[in-house]
Amino acid sequence: MKYNLLKNSTWLLNDQIFYKLQHLYIHLKHAKRISWPNIKKPKSFNEKMLWLKLNYRNVYDSLLVDKYKVRDYVKEKVGEKYLIPLLKVYSSPSEITIENLPQKFVLKPNHGSGWLYICRNKKEIDITALRKKFEKWHSKNFYFIGREWQYRNIKPVIVCETLLEDQSNKLLDYKFFCFNGNPKYIQIDVDRFDNHKRVFYDSFWNKMPFTTLYPKYEHEIPKPSNYNEMENIARKLSENFAFARIDLYTLNNKVYFGEITLFHGSGNEPFYPKEFDNIVGDDIILL
């Protein structure tokens, strides 16, 4: 099966069949195993993500995944102090200019996930190539990648924020898995751009015996000194959701909001060992 064929033929498939085929393809590619999800009677974490994608509809959620408008939600729920400083918002790639920006910054489209440009030295930027990169993203509707409905009608803009970085230039991203407002697991990704590995801790900072999609990081990661504050923020931002992943950073003992994800991995990330797909899935209560 060619993934490009699947992507180019989405209009032929109803949502349920599309979800199942995409899930099967990704598990075959990454885990080398057949995984045909049961969406009607879901038990595993991934199956419940797919069920939520298929059945859960709340127009308010488009605001949560919009990388620009979500700032208002965060400001209202936990306070403006947790927002990464905003430098500029561009309505189109042709508007991007760097003359008045600091040497280091981050650019990202508001209407997708994983689309990111990190600048550590603006003197090295080819502005034409940069605009071309964002034109490619700007023209895409992220909905069609995984059929996550909340992305469908987002009006694209480009957000420019301050670059957060520690001395190692490898600032950790703490992804809180929250179930009905209860943070239970924290996913941490290490060396994302060269040797990507991943580790999970529970809310008591015990290392968990599983990973998803990427190999398990075997070394210990110290519990942040302001962990309780981070957990409280995740709890407030995720309340009233069967599942929400709240991404946070901590730098110089200050917490910053990253993003909110409603359907982690779009319901497609293999668990290793695979039985933890069901174990973690037990925490999601579908009404």
Side-chain angles (χ1 to χ4, degrees), residues 118-135:
I118 299 175
C119 172
R120 290 191 168 89
N121 183 359
K122 74 176 185 179
K123 293 180 180 179
E124 299 176 354
I125 290 180
D126 180 334
I127 191 65
T128 300
L130 178 63
R131 288 171 178 162
K132 187 174 182 180
K133 176 189 286 286
F134 275 86
E135 284 169 2

Side-chain angles (χ1 to χ4, degrees), residues 144-249:
F144 292 106
I145 294 177
R147 287 208 193 171
E148 296 187 33
W149 69 270
Q150 73 275 20
Y151 284 105
R152 187 162 196 164
N153 296 313
I154 295 177
K155 181 180 179 181
V157 298
I158 300 160
V159 178
C160 182
E161 295 176 336
T162 299
L163 174 62
L164 302 181
E165 59 179 358
D166 56 18
Q167 293 180 344
S168 67
N169 292 333
K170 295 181 179 180
L171 188 67
L172 294 177
D173 187 356
Y174 299 85
K175 302 176 184 292
F176 286 76
F177 282 44
C178 303
F179 306 88
N180 289 308
N182 177 36
K184 186 160 185 180
Y185 304 108
I186 304 93
Q187 171 190 311
I188 305 169
D189 293 271
V190 180
D191 295 332
R192 293 183 63 179
F193 302 108
D194 41 38
N195 186 27
H196 197 159
K197 293 186 178 181
R198 180 171 287 173
V199 64
F200 283 83
Y201 286 85
D202 68 12
S203 59
F204 300 99
W205 213 253
N206 298 306
K207 183 183 285 188
M208 302 305 296
F210 68 86
T211 184
T212 62
L213 192 61
Y214 296 100
K216 184 180 175 184
Y217 182 70
E218 297 297 342
H219 301 287
E220 294 292 333
I221 294 178
K223 182 179 181 179
S225 60
N226 54 356
Y227 174 80
N228 289 342
E229 182 182 10
M230 298 173 74
E231 187 179 54
N232 189 48
I233 293 167
R235 182 176 291 108
K236 289 181 179 178
L237 293 178
S238 66
E239 61 184 1
N240 302 321
F241 296 97
F243 172 84
R245 197 193 77 208
I246 309 299
D247 297 3
L248 302 173
Y249 303 97

Side-chain angles (χ1 to χ4, degrees), residues 92-111:
S92 70
S94 63
E95 292 183 1
I96 297 176
T97 57
I98 61 173
E99 285 78 8
N100 295 323
L101 296 179
Q103 281 294 105
K104 300 179 181 183
F105 56 85
V106 172
L107 284 171
K108 59 185 179 183
N110 68 317
H111 65 296

Side-chain angles (χ1 to χ4, degrees), residues 10-21:
T10 56
W11 61 275
L12 295 172
L13 307 171
N14 65 38
D15 285 345
Q16 187 164 173
I17 295 300
F18 173 85
Y19 294 156
K20 288 183 175 182
L21 289 175

